[in-house]
Amino acid sequence: MPHAKTTPFAMPLPEALAHVDRVFGVDSILADEGQDIVAPYYVQSEPGYKRVHSEKGCMHMALNPDGVYSADGYFTQIRDVAYQIRQVQAKRVLELGSGMGFNSITLAPDHATVQFTGLDLMAHHVKTASKDAAQLPNASFRQGSYADIPAELHGADVVFGLETLCYATDLDAVAAQIAAAMAPGGRFVMYDGFRRADFDAAPPDVQTAARFVMYDGFRRADFDAAPPDVQTAARLFEVTTAVTGGFHTIDAWDAALTRAGLVVLRREDLTDQSIAGMRYLHNRAAKFFHSWKYRVLKHVMPKYLIRNAVAGLVGPYMIEGAGPNSGDTMGAITYSVLMAEKPR
Ligand SMILES: C[S@@+](CC[C@H](N)C(=O)[O-])C[C@H]1O[C@@H](n2cnc3c(N)ncnc32)[C@H](O)[C@@H]1O
């Protein structure tokens, strides 16, 4: 199977935006920019995440290093967290934005001496995760925000968050909460989408990674320099996944964690590995926009649930640029990992 990025999109970007405009109205979606819709989005999207998105209970993107979509990709980030657990011989792990519990429930059986606690904003996610973890003595879930991590959860040797810290509004405040929750010598890992920052200002190794991520021939790749259509695709993705303030840049997180006293050890652009998973959701979403039978659902399904079809459709343009259909290959968003340590 060829790498997903060498195959054409289901449709060119202008056609995709026209479909979105006709069915939902681009301006109508973007009117939610800046609004706090996280809670209604996740309440309404529950059936979508349970039945359409991915593996049972998983709410993050697959990372497939070979560029071919497979469900194994949902475990890529978890393997990295397992590696960090081994590195620091962790006894306590805190998962931020644990969703329906997929990550901690996957990790707990293989780490019987480690206590896993998941913290999530949404009560219904915590309920699902707690039910699925009922037979696991070393995994539990509780409701709360990472903007105010309960003191009982402090002292974690590993703190991690997959595709959740994009919802943070005050990075310094959340970074301080994270640092306070970590034991000295502990590790913090986040995987997320990030708006591309100024390319030339990026550290040399990040620039090297980025050059390999996209097709040849781009230099500056900051969000504002991306083609307008690609920026619109990115903004549509952000709003239809409730990231209405826009993804943060990795520089902003790096700086906030550093100000909180952590030492950033790794920041790596993994966009290339996310392409196959994004294309998988893109092809499924294209069916919705191509078929009137599916579009009828728009009239019976809750607004934020059905708008996930927009995120699915536009995701690849946001990370790859308008791509194979137009030759325009500058993306506006990266999928990256950031890892930091709390000094002893
Ligand atoms: C895309 S889902 C990812 C869930 C999980 N990390 C996974 O990989 O399956 C994002 C999660 O972040 C949670 N979330 C959003 N804002 C939060 C906050 N301030 N504190 C804790 N959880 C939050 C949402 O409820 C949701 O479960």
Side-chain angles (χ1 to χ4, degrees):
M1 288 268 278
H3 195 292
K5 72 184 177 188
T6 60
T7 58
F9 294 131
M11 61 186 87
L13 174 55
E15 188 182 323
L17 293 180
H19 273 300
V20 173
D21 203 35
R22 188 166 39 78
V23 179
F24 295 99
V26 167
D27 289 344
S28 163
I29 292 174
L30 295 183
D32 276 347
E33 279 186 318
Q35 309 293 319
D36 182 358
I37 58 170
V38 175
Y41 168 76
Y42 277 107
V43 167
Q44 292 186 13
S45 297
E46 187 182 9
Y49 276 107
K50 278 192 167 156
R51 291 193 209 111
V52 182
H53 179 267
S54 54
E55 290 291 275
K56 184 177 173 293
C58 177
M59 302 172 74
H60 60 257
M61 297 300 303
L63 288 182
N64 296 108
D66 61 358
V68 178
Y69 171 77
S70 83
D72 185 61
Y74 297 110
F75 297 89
T76 304
Q77 298 92 328
I78 299 177
R79 287 187 197 109
D80 181 26
V81 175
Y83 176 76
Q84 303 306 333
I85 290 171
R86 286 195 300 276
Q87 285 292 299
V88 298
Q89 299 181 336
K91 293 275 169 266
R92 293 175 63 190
V93 173
L94 171 61
E95 179 177 6
L96 306 176
S98 44
M100 293 191 256
F102 182 75
N103 307 312
S104 289
I105 288 173
T106 299
L107 287 162
D110 288 342
H111 301 85
T113 59
V114 182
Q115 186 61 45
F116 292 85
T117 308
L119 182 71
D120 198 278
L121 193 63
M122 303 302 298
H124 71 280
H125 290 168
V126 172
K127 196 172 162 199
T128 302
S130 302
K131 196 165 149 239
D132 289 352
Q135 304 306 319
L136 292 171
N138 61 331
S140 63
F141 297 89
R142 60 184 284 176
Q143 199 247 328
S145 172
Y146 46 63
D148 187 16
I149 300 174
E152 315 87 86
L153 303 185
H154 288 189
D157 307 297
V158 171
V159 176
F160 75 99
L162 306 188
E163 298 173 31
T164 184
L165 289 157
C166 49
Y167 296 111
T169 47
D170 183 338
L171 303 200
D172 278 322
V174 173
Q177 289 285 318
I178 291 168
M182 291 166 71
R187 297 264 170 101
F188 166 68
V189 185
M190 70 181 281
Y191 280 79
D192 226 313
F194 298 92
R195 284 192 174 196
R196 281 189 181 275
D198 181 75
F199 185 88
D200 295 316
D205 55 340
V206 174
Q207 291 189 24
T208 305
R211 281 195 196 98
F212 287 107
V213 164
M214 297 294 165
Y215 310 90
D216 292 336
F218 77 96
R219 275 296 276 122
R220 284 178 60 88
D222 51 324
F223 186 88
D224 297 323
D229 269 8
V230 175
Q231 288 187 40
T232 303
R235 289 168 61 206
L236 285 168
F237 183 95
E238 289 168 342
V239 173
T240 54
T241 55
V243 188
T244 55
F247 286 115
H248 303 287
T249 64
I250 200 160
D251 291 323
W253 266 113
D254 188 322
L257 294 169
T258 304
R259 281 192 292 269
L262 302 184
V263 178
V264 173
L265 300 180
R266 178 183 175 211
R267 33 184 283 174
E268 191 175 346
D269 186 330
L270 303 173
T271 311
D272 207 30
Q273 300 187 24
S274 72
I275 289 176
M278 285 276 191
R279 293 291 197 100
Y280 169 73
L281 295 174
H282 169 76
N283 290 328
R284 296 183 76 170
K287 288 195 181 122
F288 168 85
F289 285 95
H290 275 137
S291 155
W292 66 265
K293 279 191 222 152
Y294 288 107
R295 286 202 307 276
V296 168
L297 293 173
K298 185 201 155 201
H299 303 287
V300 291
M301 285 166 72
K303 172 169 111 170
Y304 296 124
L305 172 59
I306 197 69
R307 279 186 181 180
N308 282 295
V310 176
L313 188 71
V314 301
Y317 312 111
M318 148 185 106
I319 58 167
E320 297 178 68
N325 300 110
S326 71
D328 186 348
T329 57
M330 191 191 280
I333 303 291
T334 72
Y335 188 97
S336 302
V337 57
L338 187 59
M339 202 262 282
E341 186 174 58
K342 180 166 173 170
R344 286 184 189 280

